[in-house]
């Protein structure tokens, strides 16, 4: 099976712009989560989607949003970009609604805001 | 709020030797799960090992094992016979078992491990 695929791998944007990141989960996985990774804050949970519904959301401003499509692919959008949004954004999927099922991560999208 | 603390920002070990990475966590729940993830320079997070809190037996996966001390809320990772490919960031992570399956891992800040030849 193909792994979790995130596109693009690198992105450079200017303050005030918006950006959309894409994630294709492993085939058959219906849960998709997003995490932000920065040197200062580490890995922080953004949100999780299951069957096109957002089930959980982290402590991020409303500029961060996401959605999931019927084929389980997910997108996250950040509007009005700020310098502090520069980070590695990781997407992860899992195949079973169980707490200890492992997350499978993608290689991430490196977003740089200038 | 749940927190995960990794007190060792960086560690190094000689190839073939053993190293232990520390992790402590804070929760009021009794049902939860703990994980160690590895992030090599390729950036992809890879699951190393996982432990259910209700299991007293420490988890083992080949050269990787944990020392789970529930009362002390400690979850350390031992890597035996270290290999150059073990060089990576290691993250300890925690999830409560009461979220209806919703995935919300809480991660520690990570330990950068370097295996020297």
């Amino acid at each position: 099976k193909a792994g979790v695929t995130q596109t693009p791998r690198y992105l450079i944007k200017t303050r005030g712009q918006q950006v959309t990141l894409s994630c294709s989960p492993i085939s058959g996985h219906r849960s998709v989560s997003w995490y932000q990774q920065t040197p200062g804050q580490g890995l922080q949970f953004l949100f999780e989607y299951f069957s096109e519904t957002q089930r959980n959301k982290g402590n991020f401003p409303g500029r961060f949003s996401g959605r999931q499509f019927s084929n389980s692919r997910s997108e996250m959008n950040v509007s009005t970009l700020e310098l502090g949004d520069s980070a590695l954004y990781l997407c992860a999927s899992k195949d079973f609604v169980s707490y200890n099922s492992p997350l499978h991560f993608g290689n991430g999208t490196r977003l740089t805001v200038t | 709020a749940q927190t995960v603390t990794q007190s060792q920002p960086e560690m190094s070990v000689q190839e073939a030797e053993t190293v232990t990475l520390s992790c402590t966590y804070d929760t009021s729940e009794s049902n939860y799960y703990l994980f160690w993830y590895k992030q090599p320079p390729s950036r992809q997070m890879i699951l190393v090992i996982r432990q259910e809190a209700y299991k007293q037996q420490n988890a083992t996966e080949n050269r990787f094992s944990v020392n789970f001390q529930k009362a002390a809320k400690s979850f350390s990772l031992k890597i035996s016979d270290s290999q150059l490919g073990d060089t990576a960031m290691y993250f300890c992570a925690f999830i409560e078992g009461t979220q209806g399956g919703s995935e919300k891992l809480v991660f520690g800040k990570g330990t950068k491990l370097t295996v020297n030849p």
Side-chain angles (χ1 to χ4, degrees), chain A residues 7 11 17 20 24 26 33 46 56 67 74 83 85 95 113:
Chain A
T7 56
L11 208 46
Q17 289 185 315
T20 298
S24 293
I26 291 172
S33 307
L46 280 157
N56 209 339
R67 59 178 175 169
S74 177
L83 294 179
D85 297 333
D95 65 352
V113 182

Side-chain angles (χ1 to χ4, degrees), chain B residues 60-73:
Chain B
T60 299
E61 288 287 342
N62 301 315
R63 298 182 296 107
F64 299 89
S65 62
V66 299
N67 183 4
F68 174 48
Q69 302 289 327
K70 191 172 183 179
K73 296 181 182 175

Side-chain angles (χ1 to χ4, degrees), chain B residues 23-40:
Chain B
C23 172
T24 58
Y25 57 93
D26 185 28
T27 181
S28 56
E29 299 295 327
S30 59
N31 184 25
Y32 52 88
Y33 299 83
L34 295 158
F35 305 84
W36 278 99
Y37 278 89
K38 165 186 174 180
Q39 187 179 39

